Amino acid sequence: MRILISADMEGATGVTWPDDVVPGAAQWERCRSLFTSDVNAAVLGFHDGGADEVIINEAHATMRNLLLERLDERAQLLTGRHKALSMVEGVQHGDVDGIAFVGYHAGAGMEGVLAHTYLANQITGVWLNDVRASEGLLNAHVVAEFGVPVVLVTGDDVACEDALGYAPEALKVAVKDHVSRYAAVCRTPARTAADIRAAAKEAAGLAVRHEPVHGGPFTVAVEFDAEHLAMAATVVPGVDRIGERKVACTSETMYEGIRAFKAVTTIVSAAVEEQYG
């Protein structure tokens, strides 16, 4: 049994505001340990449940946040950028039996601690075939095309509720309860580690590959907070404006769709000016 962990940071234990997740900030350095604790608990739990191999794909910002030296020695860590499938890199090789979304969060425009979709501020909403989409929803459709089930989701309570829509059978662990975008009622690392480990052990039983799901075509629509960002996004082939601040792109597969979406976010990031956005 081979498990892939897609590890994001905004949904980690104790994380509540930007300084907790921005590389280089003092609080980010402290929260790296909390993030690593959550991921390591999942590694331990999956091995408790019979996994033969667990590989972790870093999925936050620079993708260089986890502390390798604190991980269980059986784990492997894929760290750094740039990767063909970004947050779910590794799922495309045909040898993954189940995937865990650890440290996930709600999407842009939703309630939830540090809610966003790929970009922290510039994106105000993402829709997949007219359904408001979080990173979890987008990534779940990608991994389904490779026959890999989502077996575990951790994050705040809103992220766990969101996961009911795209991975109803997966185990969910809320490490904190949303109060506002920058506030939460947090459980202690000792408690969340125990909860995640227990859930991952049970989730290992769900790690059974299935037939690939081809549900296309997929239309991804993205709304920005400024008109010029929509204009910039149309540099990407196949991306068209559907409103003053909104663009859309239709792809036959989510593999193509997520890559187009990543291209849009990369272009838009380069079009943002300090202060005025």
Side-chain angles (χ1 to χ4, degrees), residues 67-130:
L67 301 172
L68 176 65
E69 61 272 23
R70 297 193 186 180
L71 294 174
D72 183 275
E73 63 182 11
R74 294 168 293 183
Q76 297 183 78
L77 177 63
L78 171 55
T79 184
R81 304 164 69 192
H82 299 272
K83 298 172 286 196
L85 281 181
S86 191
M87 298 183 75
V88 292
E89 176 66 23
V91 76
Q92 69 267 43
H93 302 310
D95 56 358
V96 174
D97 298 297
I99 188 168
F101 294 167
V102 174
Y104 270 48
H105 50 82
M110 302 178 185
E111 290 189 343
V113 179
L114 291 171
H116 70 284
T117 306
Y118 270 60
L119 301 184
N121 289 312
Q122 289 74 37
I123 292 176
T124 57
V126 177
W127 292 263
L128 177 62
N129 290 348
D130 296 323

Side-chain angles (χ1 to χ4, degrees), residues 28-38 65 67 70:
W28 166 77
E29 193 63 56
R30 182 182 72 87
C31 288
R32 294 177 73 190
S33 295
L34 299 174
F35 181 31
T36 302
S37 175
D38 284 5
N65 307 278
L67 301 172
R70 297 193 186 180

Side-chain angles (χ1 to χ4, degrees), residues 29-275:
E29 193 63 56
R30 182 182 72 87
C31 288
R32 294 177 73 190
S33 295
L34 299 174
F35 181 31
T36 302
S37 175
D38 284 5
V39 172
N40 205 40
V43 172
L44 293 169
F46 282 120
H47 279 292
D48 291 344
D52 300 298
E53 185 177 5
V54 179
I55 184 167
I56 304 147
N57 176 40
E58 277 243 24
H60 174 69
T62 60
M63 301 182 178
R64 299 181 185 278
N65 307 278
L66 290 168
L67 301 172
L68 176 65
E69 61 272 23
R70 297 193 186 180
L71 294 174
D72 183 275
E73 63 182 11
R74 294 168 293 183
Q76 297 183 78
L77 177 63
L78 171 55
T79 184
R81 304 164 69 192
H82 299 272
K83 298 172 286 196
L85 281 181
S86 191
M87 298 183 75
V88 292
E89 176 66 23
V91 76
Q92 69 267 43
H93 302 310
D95 56 358
V96 174
D97 298 297
I99 188 168
F101 294 167
V102 174
Y104 270 48
H105 50 82
M110 302 178 185
E111 290 189 343
V113 179
L114 291 171
H116 70 284
T117 306
Y118 270 60
L119 301 184
N121 289 312
Q122 289 74 37
I123 292 176
T124 57
V126 177
W127 292 263
L128 177 62
N129 290 348
D130 296 323
V131 175
R132 189 178 281 275
S134 62
E135 293 169 5
L137 176 64
L138 296 174
N139 291 332
H141 280 281
V142 175
V143 303
E145 291 185 343
F146 296 96
V148 178
V150 179
V151 300
L152 173 68
V153 179
T154 79
D156 71 357
D157 58 326
V158 181
C160 292
E161 183 177 352
D162 178 53
L164 290 172
Y166 65 77
E169 296 182 0
L171 276 292
K172 286 89 175 173
V173 178
V175 301
K176 55 198 171 191
D177 295 327
H178 160 265
V179 173
S180 73
R181 195 176 189 215
Y182 302 131
V185 177
C186 298
R187 296 150 180 69
T188 64
R191 177 177 170 185
T192 58
D195 289 347
I196 293 170
R197 183 171 184 173
K201 180 179 179 179
E202 185 176 350
L206 302 176
V208 179
R209 291 178 58 80
H210 53 68
E211 287 297 314
V213 177
H214 300 291
F218 296 99
T219 297
V220 178
V222 187
E223 183 182 70
F224 304 99
D225 64 1
E227 177 276 339
H228 78 285
L229 299 180
M231 177 183 68
T234 60
V235 171
V236 179
V239 175
D240 299 309
R241 292 182 75 159
I242 58 172
E244 188 176 36
R245 295 180 292 106
K246 198 170 185 180
V247 300
C249 179
T250 299
S251 306
E252 288 303 312
T253 69
M254 268 307 292
Y255 175 84
E256 297 168 341
I258 200 70
R259 287 161 64 83
F261 178 64
K262 176 65 174 175
V264 165
T265 61
T266 301
I267 292 293
V268 166
S269 294
V272 174
E273 301 289 349
E274 189 175 358
Q275 301 299 327

